[in-house]
Amino acid sequence: MTTTETSKGPWRRNIKASQSDDPSSDVGSQGEEDLRQWQKHAQKLKVKVLEQVQDQLSDVLDKVLAESIQPFTNIQPTANGKMAKRSQKMDDGKVFMDRPSLLDELFEINHIRTIYHMFIAVLLIFFLSTLAVDYIDQGRLVLEFDLLFYAFGKLGTVIQAWLVMFVYTLFVPYYSLVFWGSVYHVFPSKLGLSMGIGFILSAAQTCVLGLLPIYVVINHELPPASRFIVILEQIRFLMKSYSFIRETAPAIMKNTPKEGEAPKFPTLSSYLYFLFCPTLIYRESYPRNTHIRWNYVGCTLAMILGCLFYGYFILVRLCVPVFRSETNQTFTIRTMVLAVFHSILPGIMLLLLCFFAFLHCWLNLFGELLRFADRMFYKDWWNSTSFANYYRTWNVVVHDWLYYYGYRDFLLLSKRKFRTAGMLSVFIVSAVVHEYALALGLGFFYPVMFCLFAVFGVVFNFTMNDKRQSPVFNVIMWACLFLGQGVQVCLYCQEWYAQIHCPRKENTFWELVIPRSWSCSYQ
């Protein structure tokens, strides 16, 4: 104790003694006790808040680290105990894990959910405006969904065609693989056996999953929505069956059964599950949820129906009155530019509806019914500052198939050379398939999608690459999406009505490939 402290000690004791004699000292001591209790309570509250924040940050970091496992290199121990670094992600397949869809997480935030409420409000406005116009023009308050019923007509034919494709896809590829695998290791000419079975299966695939849907669509003159159902299911079954064979055949070739043992094959039930689960990459098992949330299923079904009527109102209120005119206007640069910019709003709304209805609602619906736990069907594509990132994150389900069976296999065959050629080949295949679906779905050939995808899309992919991180490039990406959707809606709508008013007189090659809107003139 210092001298100063020694001199002050008796004085402090005298002060305390005098305070103890004062009646107000009890009140002061009680106040100090309350203050100490409050400080202890605040400290406990602080610890609890910090623990909660730490737990939430830990969960977020776990998700980020789990997702980062796929795009980055993996470290594995070698025989001598040292760590060996894999040079490429290409040697690994897709890793499935338990994770929810991004929008389901974002909708937990009130600010994001308000945007969803705004879209519902716009749907109500469309509904009321249609009622008001019908009442003013025709004096009735009954909505007629004639365009919707027309688009989904002849559903009986669609169901029959789907059943044929489904039964074929379920049994023929599976038992072809089982037969090939059961004799592969004992057959004298493995290459001859593989080529023979592959040729027969390819011929069957071409007839049943290739030509039959095209014949049904054209011969039965299906309406647009029914056409798209058949064609998109045709593409899905082809991609699913290819993934099943591509993932299973190498394992059968590598695993030679021991003497007296039968080869092991995937079960038919696992393949059946794969045909319906929302992924295009085959695995014998996937991460599964413990139960089905039936409330979630009901809400998702309601959202799908809402999106269906939303698209109907957009077409009826924003597209049909503009492009279904009794007399066509003379083509000029001015009229075309005005038509394109008029189509931007319905175009971008239809794009967002297709994304939300299919990539979020439809896939999550099947994921929930099948207890499929990996719901990363898309990523935050709306934050992309490059078209390269947009293409990777817009549709993760299709992107995974194209990456593993297109780009990665191309690099493996070329010994990991010609990366640019591999990327271009994937772009061309994707553009051709998109244009094929649109051509058969709409009933005419007008390669607007192909040009935007294979020409402008490739240019933007290499010019606006991942090095572009500025928010300015996000604005540029959205501006390009707006303009591209406006061009597609404008040109396809014009061609649709040109095909109606100026039908083909002959089924020659040039009549089929030259757009009618270029030469059609009707009064």
Side-chain angles (χ1 to χ4, degrees), residues 1 11 91 120 139 157 201 256 343 347 474 523:
M1 181 180 295
W11 180 79
D91 295 334
I120 296 178
T157 304
L201 182 60
T256 304
S343 304
N474 182 251
Q523 299 296 328

Side-chain angles (χ1 to χ4, degrees), residues 20-180:
S20 64
D21 296 335
D22 189 355
S24 63
S25 62
D26 294 336
V27 178
S29 61
Q30 183 66 31
E32 291 178 358
E33 182 67 23
D34 293 341
L35 180 61
R36 284 193 295 270
Q37 293 294 332
W38 173 252
Q39 288 176 345
K40 290 181 180 179
H41 176 71
Q43 188 67 21
K44 292 180 180 179
L45 184 62
K46 175 183 176 182
V47 172
K48 288 183 178 181
V49 171
L50 290 176
E51 288 178 352
Q52 292 178 358
V53 172
Q54 185 178 3
D55 292 340
Q56 291 180 356
L57 288 176
S58 178
D59 292 340
V60 172
L61 289 175
D62 288 341
K63 292 180 181 180
V64 172
L65 291 175
E67 292 182 0
S68 66
I69 291 175
Q70 296 182 17
F72 295 100
T73 56
N74 297 324
I75 305 297
Q76 289 189 345
T78 58
N80 58 6
K82 296 182 179 180
M83 302 303 290
K85 189 175 182 180
R86 286 188 179 179
S87 59
Q88 295 291 339
K89 168 193 171 186
M90 294 182 297
D91 295 334
D92 301 324
K94 178 178 174 62
V95 178
F96 292 91
M97 59 188 68
D98 188 347
R99 49 193 170 186
S101 289
L102 183 56
L103 283 183
D104 284 337
E105 291 184 325
L106 292 177
F107 283 159
E108 298 295 328
I109 305 173
N110 290 333
H111 303 290
I112 303 299
R113 194 164 185 83
T114 300
I115 301 176
Y116 171 72
H117 295 159
M118 292 167 60
F119 275 89
I120 296 178
V122 174
L123 175 60
L124 294 176
I125 295 299
F126 273 129
F127 178 80
L128 293 176
S129 67
T130 304
L131 278 179
V133 170
D134 288 347
Y135 179 75
I136 293 173
D137 292 344
Q138 303 180 18
R140 56 181 175 80
L141 288 175
V142 180
L143 289 174
E144 292 185 358
F145 299 102
D146 50 348
L147 180 61
L148 195 62
F149 291 132
Y150 161 73
F152 286 92
K154 300 183 179 180
L155 284 180
T157 304
V158 173
I159 294 174
Q160 293 176 8
W162 184 87
L163 286 175
V164 171
M165 291 190 294
F166 168 71
V167 172
Y168 166 84
T169 307
L170 176 62
F171 292 109
V172 174
Y174 178 80
Y175 285 107
S176 298
L177 184 74
V178 169
F179 173 77
W180 169 82

Side-chain angles (χ1 to χ4, degrees), residues 197-271:
I197 298 296
F199 177 78
I200 295 174
L201 182 60
S202 298
Q205 294 277 91
T206 302
C207 294
V208 181
L209 292 182
L211 300 178
L212 177 63
I214 298 176
Y215 172 80
V216 171
V217 163
I218 296 177
N219 186 66
H220 291 273
E221 298 181 349
L222 298 181
S226 299
R227 284 171 172 252
F228 278 112
I229 293 174
V230 174
I231 297 303
L232 293 180
E233 284 298 283
Q234 171 200 28
I235 298 172
R236 186 177 72 91
F237 282 136
L238 283 170
M239 297 172 77
K240 291 260 190 181
S241 58
Y242 180 86
S243 176
F244 172 71
I245 296 173
R246 173 65 180 80
E247 295 289 341
T248 308
I252 295 175
M253 296 170 65
K254 292 179 181 178
N255 300 325
T256 304
K258 297 180 181 180
E259 186 176 356
E261 293 183 356
K264 295 182 179 179
F265 303 106
T267 61
L268 183 62
S269 60
S270 67
Y271 180 49

Side-chain angles (χ1 to χ4, degrees), residues 19 35 42 48 57 83 89 108 123 134 182 247 281 298 302 312 322 345 348 387 401 415 437-438 469 485:
Q19 287 177 349
L35 180 61
K48 288 183 178 181
L57 288 176
M83 302 303 290
K89 168 193 171 186
E108 298 295 328
L123 175 60
D134 288 347
S182 61
E247 295 289 341
I281 306 296
Y312 170 79
V322 175
L345 177 60
I348 199 64
F387 273 88
W401 194 94
K415 298 181 179 180
L438 277 176
Q469 299 294 329
Q485 289 302 118

